[in-house]
């Protein structure tokens, strides 16, 4: 199969009914060209076609889930059925195993959400081991709620019994960890951070996909970062053409800008017809959008990248006061831009793109 095998694992910490988090997931699936997405800690007791449809960007999807116990735990694995056709799905209370063929490779994909109880984790490792002793190319990914080395947890200095049990499980299963690029710790709060979101592969994966890579995506709407695996390095085909839709009426200066631009065009081109004048206005708005307001998606990605860069610094040292102040400002900007984007999507869903409407707000498409 010529297409890259791309998948994301993310501890989303619930909240899948929130519009902004659902939109973030849909955008991630589209932008990263995902064949499969695994969500852990869904905090949902059930899923149906409608609830999953809110998370997948089109009508082509299939899924399997493990229910939460009340508001605790839960897993959801969903995929593009045009690319993945499972031959077997097995579910337990802390993992989902999906078998499928990718090209000429037989894959066993296992999504894991380990307990925060060491005894339960030890039981999970025992349950998973027979599933991994197979001829399939095995991928085990998710939130393991444990570390392999004291350096992977802030202020941890010694090996624990549970760490040794985790290490023994990885060794017995003959798995190899895919090194994470872009971040070291994958979970953090104000006082703690750990590397607990991971991806392990059969050794044959590195022969089948010699250029495979595991990367950290910017943290968003959770205290865990999403991790993305791609079977081959993406190629850079150059910049994409700029395209946007104007709906930025919430900006304090935009309404006045449109009015003044329209008056200027009418004076400059008094004999032009309506179509020409609207075309001139479109050009003016496109310039305003680029220079003054900026593309919201680009701005949001920039804010997330800046947040991720500062948080990455905290993986190895306490942040300076300037960085803490900057991080607080970025969090606020992220919230503001996210609200603007949500407003944009709501507006787009309500707009009537009819040239015979009651105002010029209905006809701007850039």
């Amino acid at each position: 199969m010529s297409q890259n095998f791309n998948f994301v694992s993310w501890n989303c910490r619930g909240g899948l009914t929130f519009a902004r988090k659902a939109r973030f997931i849909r955008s991630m699936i589209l932008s990263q060209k995902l064949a499969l997405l695994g969500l852990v800690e869904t905090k949902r007791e059930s899923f149906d076609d409608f609830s999953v449809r809110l998370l997948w960007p089109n009508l082509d999807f299939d899924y399997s889930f493990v229910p939460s116990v009340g508001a605790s735990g839960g897993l959801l694995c969903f995929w593009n059925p045009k690319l993945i056709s499972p031959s077997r799905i097995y579910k337990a209370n802390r993992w989902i195993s999906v078998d499928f063929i990718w090209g000429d490779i037989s894959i066993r994909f296992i999504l894991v959400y380990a307990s925060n109880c060491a005894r339960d984790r030890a039981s999970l490792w025992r349950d998973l081991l027979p599933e991994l002793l197979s001829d399939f190319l095995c991928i085990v990914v998710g939130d393991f709620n444990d570390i392999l080395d004291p350096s992977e947890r802030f202020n941890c200095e010694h090996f624990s019994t549970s760490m040794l049990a985790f290490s023994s499980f990885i060794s017995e299963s003959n798995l190899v960890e895919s090194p994470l690029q872009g971040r070291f710790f994958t979970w953090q709060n104000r006082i703690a951070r750990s590397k607990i979101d991971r991806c392990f592969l059969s050794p044959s994966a590195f022969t089948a996909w010699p250029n495979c890579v595991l990367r950290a995506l910017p943290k968003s709407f959770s205290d865990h970062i999403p991790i993305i695996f791609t079977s081959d390095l993406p190629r850079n085909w150059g910049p994409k053409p700029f395209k946007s839709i104007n709906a930025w009426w919430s900006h304090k200066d935009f309404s006045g800008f449109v009015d003044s631009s329209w008056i200027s065009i009418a004076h400059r081109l008094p004999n032009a017809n309506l179509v020409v004048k609207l075309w001139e206005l479109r050009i003016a708005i496109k310039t305003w959008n680029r220079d003054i307001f900026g593309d919201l998606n680009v701005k949001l990605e920039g804010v997330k990248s800046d947040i991720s860069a500062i948080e990455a610094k905290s993986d190895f040292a306490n942040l300076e006061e300037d960085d803490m102040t900057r991080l607080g400002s970025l969090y606020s900007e992220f919230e503001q831009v996210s609200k603007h984007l949500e407003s944009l999507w709501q507006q787009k869903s309500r707009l009537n793109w009819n040239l015979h409407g009651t105002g010029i707000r209905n006809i701007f498409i850039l």
Side-chain angles (χ1 to χ4, degrees):
M1 183 177 292
S2 59
Q3 182 166 343
N4 285 346
F5 178 42
N6 296 345
F7 67 81
V8 160
S9 170
W10 184 37
N11 184 323
C12 61
R13 297 297 302 273
L16 296 177
T17 58
F18 295 142
R20 272 181 280 172
K21 183 172 282 190
R23 190 183 66 247
F24 168 77
I25 292 172
R26 293 194 301 270
S27 175
M28 181 168 57
I29 292 168
L30 280 174
S31 64
Q32 303 298 333
K33 298 180 175 60
L34 300 185
L36 183 149
L37 173 61
L39 299 177
V40 303
E41 200 173 357
T42 62
K43 300 186 178 183
R44 286 188 61 126
E45 295 181 348
S46 67
F47 286 91
D48 55 22
D49 290 356
F50 178 78
S51 57
V52 178
R53 173 66 186 88
L54 297 176
L55 305 175
W56 194 265
N58 55 54
L59 295 176
D60 293 318
F61 63 87
D62 201 357
Y63 63 96
S64 183
F65 72 93
V66 170
S68 65
V69 179
S72 175
L75 301 96
L76 172 64
C77 186
F78 50 132
W79 55 86
N80 182 345
K82 292 181 178 179
L83 301 175
I84 293 175
S85 180
S87 58
R88 170 185 176 266
I89 299 176
Y90 184 83
K91 299 189 290 185
N93 66 338
R94 285 280 177 175
W95 51 282
I96 300 173
S97 179
V98 182
D99 292 353
F100 57 90
I101 304 294
W102 187 270
D104 58 353
I105 305 173
S106 297
I107 294 178
R108 175 162 290 171
F109 179 91
I110 302 175
L111 179 68
V112 172
Y113 180 38
S115 170
N116 57 13
C117 170
R119 181 180 300 175
D120 291 343
R121 286 198 300 275
S123 177
L124 173 63
W125 310 149
R126 289 193 297 270
D127 292 343
L128 280 174
L129 196 57
E131 191 80 358
L132 296 168
L133 300 178
S134 75
D135 294 330
F136 285 81
L137 188 162
C138 293
I139 300 171
V140 188
V141 66
D143 180 351
F144 293 84
N145 256 318
D146 212 339
I147 57 175
L148 294 172
D149 188 89
S151 65
E152 297 172 349
R153 177 169 293 143
F154 188 62
N155 283 339
C156 179
E157 298 179 354
H158 306 288
F159 285 90
S160 67
T161 302
S162 68
M163 291 162 57
L164 296 175
F166 184 26
S167 179
S168 177
F169 158 68
I170 297 301
S171 177
E172 290 180 51
S173 59
N174 197 33
L175 293 172
V176 179
E177 183 166 13
S178 180
L180 180 64
Q181 297 184 9
R183 293 296 301 268
F184 183 72
F185 297 118
T186 65
W187 167 84
Q188 70 178 70
N189 60 23
R190 291 185 178 274
I191 59 174
R193 42 192 181 266
S194 297
K195 182 183 179 181
I196 54 179
D197 304 273
R198 320 178 79 120
C199 179
F200 297 94
L201 307 169
S202 296
S204 59
F206 299 96
T207 302
W209 303 316
N211 296 318
C212 67
V213 63
L214 184 73
R215 294 182 292 111
L217 295 176
K219 190 173 70 173
S220 182
F221 303 111
S222 173
D223 51 9
H224 293 253
I225 62 169
I227 56 175
I228 177 170
F229 174 91
T230 184
S231 59
D232 200 1
L233 291 173
R235 292 173 175 83
N236 183 2
W237 299 106
K240 297 178 175 62
F242 173 81
K243 181 181 180 182
S244 67
I245 298 174
N246 172 59
W248 312 140
W249 297 92
S250 59
H251 192 283
K252 62 183 179 64
D253 297 329
F254 184 69
S255 182
F257 168 79
V258 171
D259 290 342
S260 62
S261 296
W262 187 253
I263 292 171
S264 174
I265 292 168
H267 282 120
R268 182 162 50 88
L269 302 170
N271 298 321
N273 60 33
L274 179 61
V275 173
V276 172
K277 290 180 180 178
L278 288 175
W279 182 261
E280 290 292 319
L281 183 59
R282 175 187 183 275
I283 294 173
I285 291 173
K286 188 172 183 178
T287 301
W288 179 91
N289 183 70
R290 183 193 64 217
D291 297 341
I292 305 301
F293 195 91
D295 183 278
L296 283 182
N297 289 296
V298 172
K299 183 178 290 187
L300 188 64
E301 289 303 313
V303 171
K304 289 195 295 185
S305 295
D306 289 346
I307 290 174
S308 183
I310 295 177
E311 288 182 339
K313 292 171 62 176
S314 73
D315 285 350
F316 304 102
N318 292 327
L319 293 177
E320 300 290 338
E321 184 175 349
D322 288 347
D323 285 332
M324 292 295 295
T325 302
R326 172 63 174 155
L327 193 59
S329 176
L330 286 169
Y331 284 146
S332 297
E333 187 175 359
F334 174 82
E335 183 72 16
Q336 183 182 37
V337 176
S338 295
K339 287 180 178 178
H340 278 305
L341 263 174
E342 185 173 5
S343 174
L344 168 62
W345 281 100
Q346 291 173 348
Q347 183 177 354
K348 284 172 61 180
S349 68
R350 295 193 302 265
L351 282 176
N352 174 20
W353 302 98
N354 185 338
L355 288 175
H356 299 289
T358 58
I360 61 174
R361 295 189 184 199
N362 294 331
I363 57 176
F364 294 141
I365 305 177
L366 300 184

